[in-house]
Amino acid sequence: MSFLSTTGATPVTISTPLDTDNINYKCAFRVTYQLLGYLNTGKVTGGYSECSKSDGGDGYVAGIMSFTTKWGSMLDVVNAYKATPNYKKEFDALIPTLEKYSKETSGSVEGLDKLCDAWGAASKNSNYFKNAQISVARSQYDYPALNATESLNLRFPISKSVMINTAIVGGLGNSGYELGAVFGATNATIKGDVKGGSGSTLTIDKYSVDEIAWLSTFLDTRDKLSKSSSKPVTDIYRGLIKNGFYKFSDTIAFTGFDNKQVSIACNKLY
């Protein structure tokens, strides 16, 4: 997976700083990770314990970010959990096989028939295992995605959430509907000032662009580049935008994948 290259990118800076005093970033973090977990597993709670064989040749997939055995992210979670004081040796017998498949980028499931049992047991053990999943998600998706789009200086938690989700689903590179490709294609559409009422204004090249207007264009561009495969997710973000849930500072509500109302509150992390 290649990282987003900003070489030759149009400079983007913030021109009108948003008053962020009324954004509760602690709440925003909790809402963001519940939302990302839902978008990956279809569950607001319980996604940490999800585990199954992959339909796409990635071996096993599990957890809130659909970590895989083939690409080593499940091993990363296991190692992060193993380093905690509450590790109960659930994965000891499986680690050599996880290391082998990670090194080989193999989608084989041979020797991993007890993996989901161990994953489920660890999920019930304590919050250490859940925190291990969040730690790996932040290092592999969150920080790289936000660093890659740092030139935009996005202010709203919803904007940052979209960047992270795009990196999770498409990757961090510059082809297809990877984050770099969508980011660049979105900026290329800006041909004049774009007004809006969000309170955050970006400067792209010589134009003033409302942040939420830019984000809406980003979602449209992502759908176009993904040939609408991302639309179930982007429609959820559009619903949040329509209802003004930019700050993730309390409770957000949206129509979920099953057309039922979903509510996510900042006072719950798991």
Side-chain angles (χ1 to χ4, degrees), residues 210-254:
D210 179 82
E211 178 174 334
I212 294 301
W214 181 91
L215 184 64
S216 296
T217 301
F218 183 97
L219 294 172
D220 292 342
T221 303
R222 176 173 157 178
D223 281 348
K224 181 179 179 180
L225 293 179
S226 71
K227 299 180 181 178
S228 296
S229 65
S230 67
K231 200 167 187 304
V233 168
T234 58
D235 279 348
I236 286 175
Y237 279 117
R238 288 187 184 92
L240 292 170
I241 289 171
K242 180 179 179 180
N243 289 297
F245 293 117
Y246 307 159
K247 300 177 182 179
F248 289 5
S249 56
D250 186 11
T251 300
I252 64 172
F254 55 90

Side-chain angles (χ1 to χ4, degrees), residues 21 87 123 133 138 194 222 232 238:
D21 290 344
Y87 179 60
S123 297
Q133 293 188 44
R138 298 204 84 178
V194 182
R222 176 173 157 178
R238 288 187 184 92

Side-chain angles (χ1 to χ4, degrees), residues 85-183:
N86 216 49
Y87 179 60
K88 303 298 184 184
K89 300 184 178 182
E90 298 97 331
F91 296 99
D92 276 9
L94 297 161
I95 287 175
T97 304
L98 290 173
E99 290 176 338
K100 179 178 186 292
Y101 292 159
S102 174
K103 183 177 180 180
E104 297 173 352
T105 58
S106 169
S108 174
V109 297
E110 185 177 352
L112 295 176
D113 53 302
K114 300 294 185 182
L115 178 60
C116 286
D117 291 339
W119 194 273
S123 297
K124 295 176 182 177
N125 178 12
S126 72
N127 285 341
Y128 283 104
F129 187 59
K130 297 172 182 177
N131 287 331
Q133 293 188 44
I134 291 177
S135 175
V136 172
R138 298 204 84 178
S139 65
Q140 293 192 3
Y141 303 113
D142 187 333
Y143 297 137
L146 297 183
N147 286 340
T149 57
E150 184 178 11
S151 61
L152 222 60
N153 197 12
L154 297 168
R155 288 315 203 46
F156 289 121
I158 190 174
S159 303
K160 297 176 182 181
S161 174
V162 170
M163 299 303 107
I164 299 167
N165 175 262
T166 303
I168 292 168
V169 173
L172 288 158
N174 295 291
S175 61
Y177 58 99
E178 293 177 318
L179 177 59
V182 183
F183 182 85

